[in-house]
Amino acid sequence: MERARSTSAPPLISRTTEVDAPPFAAAFDALAAPRTTWSAPDDALVLGSGAAATLTASGPGRFAEVRTAAADLFDSGDVHAGTEAARPRVFGGFAFHAGACDGDPWGPFPEARFVLPRVQLTFAENGTWLTVNAAGPDAAVAAVENRLADEIERLAGVGADAADPPRPGIARSRRTTSREAWRESVEAAVARIRGADLQKVVLAQALEADLAAEFPRAATLKRLADKYPDCHRYFFEPDDGGSAFFGATPERLVSLRGRTVETDALAGTTGRGETPAEDEWLAQELLEDAKNVHEHQLVADTVREQLEPYAASIAAGERRVRRLATVQHLHTPITAELRDDRHVLDLVEALHPTPAVGGLPPDRALRTIHETEPFDRGWYAAPVGWIDAAGNGAFAVAIRSAVAAQRRATLFAGVGIVADSDPDREWDEIQLKYRPILDELEADSA
């Protein structure tokens, strides 16, 4: 995507070299906060440290503000990337809706925040790459090249990973929504849907947990990578590094490369079986379940409608079952070719929130969420991902997620409510969706 060069933007200088791959956890612990990690099935694992530049925004215009700030930053670039995977990218995310980061635990998180890491370690198929970035009026090539040499030496001295600390364990936990309040909320939403005021709304819960030991950041990320290799995994520390938002989501919001768009419809859930035969029976039941199929089709149809203003063509794959470690989902892959060059944030803004995390019609669903949920969603179920200099990028929907600090974690999970939703079944589904993060917090003997 071409764009006029900004004459006022501070310079961006980036230098990259290939290095021997250090152990992930040891490198993570050696690097300074704020740290960022990003990994996806079709993307390299990136471990970022520090902030050469930080882009923040708030309010309904936060997508446009970040797009402009990122374009200004990249327009000024003097970049020697070495390989495409190690090119400078800004990583971050958005709040679910404007004003969504006022309450605990979201205080350290702006409504939009993206970071160009000062040091970026990229574990790619064609090697491991160390990148040093600098931005601002004092950025200088000689200083960046000296810093690169220093970081090479520092990472060369990183030892082997120590034994992973055990999972911290949960001393006590608190639900923000009681079972009685949940039943009332679901029944009220179903009444509105049957009265034609809504088609679907996604209601979420939060689970607050006091940890019995300190939250082991690197070890948790390693375990999620082992258990959920086919998910988008993300980790974002705010500027103070005291807390972190992280997760392993099966739901891609959108990826853009040139004019090629990839996205997913992911809605409809069941559990995993204890035997292969039971697993297959549950999958087939999910494919044939009228409630789940209806919920899924609402999402698939809406994603196509949201892409149509931008697309020259759209194609949807066959609906299938996607199996994860703890749940199974109905999944339809969707691809599109754009009519014109677009920035990835144009598509992020058009698609967020999908009916898989918001509802239909969007305005009424969001109002229902705001009136019903007794907590602040913050970045939960919002877009997280990266942007590069060409306006390409990849974003996931930040579900299967939590905010964690030293001895505290808040987990989030939601379910889609349609006309034939049953409050007890939806409650049980919420518990399944807590499991990816809860499993990494509960003590090993739990």
Side-chain angles (χ1 to χ4, degrees), residues 297-321:
Q297 199 59 46
L298 285 175
V299 174
D301 290 345
T302 303
V303 169
R304 289 177 62 103
E305 291 169 6
Q306 290 167 326
L307 286 176
E308 280 176 356
Y310 305 93
S313 64
I314 303 175
E318 183 180 354
R319 184 167 62 233
R320 64 193 69 170
V321 172

Side-chain angles (χ1 to χ4, degrees), residues 40-52:
D42 54 356
D43 203 352
L45 166 62
V46 177
L47 169 57
S49 167

Side-chain angles (χ1 to χ4, degrees), residues 122-357:
T122 305
F123 299 85
E125 290 183 353
N126 65 340
T128 301
W129 303 83
L130 175 65
T131 303
V132 170
N133 299 309
D138 297 327
V141 170
V144 170
E145 292 177 345
N146 289 337
R147 178 69 187 278
L148 183 63
D150 291 343
E151 294 296 337
I152 292 170
E153 182 176 353
R154 182 154 71 99
L155 285 174
V158 168
D161 281 349
D164 288 341
R167 293 169 176 83
I170 295 175
R172 62 189 62 84
S173 62
R174 299 168 297 279
R175 298 183 184 276
T176 58
T177 305
S178 69
R179 191 143 192 167
E180 293 74 18
W182 175 255
R183 184 175 291 107
E184 291 173 2
S185 297
V186 173
E187 289 173 349
V190 168
R192 293 185 63 182
I193 292 167
R194 291 175 177 171
D197 186 48
L198 288 170
Q199 289 178 272
K200 173 187 175 178
V201 64
V202 177
L203 297 181
Q205 297 180 18
L207 178 66
E208 298 173 349
D210 294 330
L211 305 181
E214 186 172 324
F215 171 58
R217 302 185 182 208
T220 299
L221 295 177
K222 285 176 61 180
R223 290 169 182 144
L224 287 174
D226 290 341
K227 198 168 183 179
Y228 299 96
D230 296 330
C231 288
H232 290 69
R233 301 182 303 280
Y234 51 91
F235 177 95
F236 301 102
E237 289 177 334
D239 289 335
D240 63 3
S243 58
F245 179 59
F246 70 101
T249 174
E251 187 171 354
R252 171 173 51 188
L253 180 65
V254 65
S255 66
L256 174 66
R257 185 181 180 90
R259 294 189 180 182
T260 300
V261 174
E262 295 182 83
T263 183
D264 297 309
L266 193 79
T269 305
T270 191
R272 295 297 307 267
E274 295 184 3
T275 65
E278 183 184 9
D279 209 37
E280 188 60 36
W281 180 84
L282 287 168
Q284 191 61 37
E285 182 186 49
L286 180 62
L287 282 167
E288 297 171 357
D289 181 74
K291 180 263 181 186
N292 279 294
V293 169
H294 170 63
E295 180 186 348
H296 180 86
Q297 199 59 46
L298 285 175
V299 174
D301 290 345
T302 303
V303 169
R304 289 177 62 103
E305 291 169 6
Q306 290 167 326
L307 286 176
E308 280 176 356
Y310 305 93
S313 64
I314 303 175
E318 183 180 354
R319 184 167 62 233
R320 64 193 69 170
V321 172
R322 184 171 177 189
R323 288 186 170 98
L324 302 173
T326 56
V327 295
Q328 304 182 75
H329 294 296
L330 292 178
H331 171 228
T332 299
I334 299 171
T335 59
E337 290 295 323
L338 302 181
R339 287 195 303 267
D340 305 298
D341 289 341
R342 289 284 182 174
H343 194 281
V344 67
L345 289 185
D346 293 341
L347 304 176
V348 169
E349 186 171 12
L351 291 168
H352 173 73
T354 72
V357 292

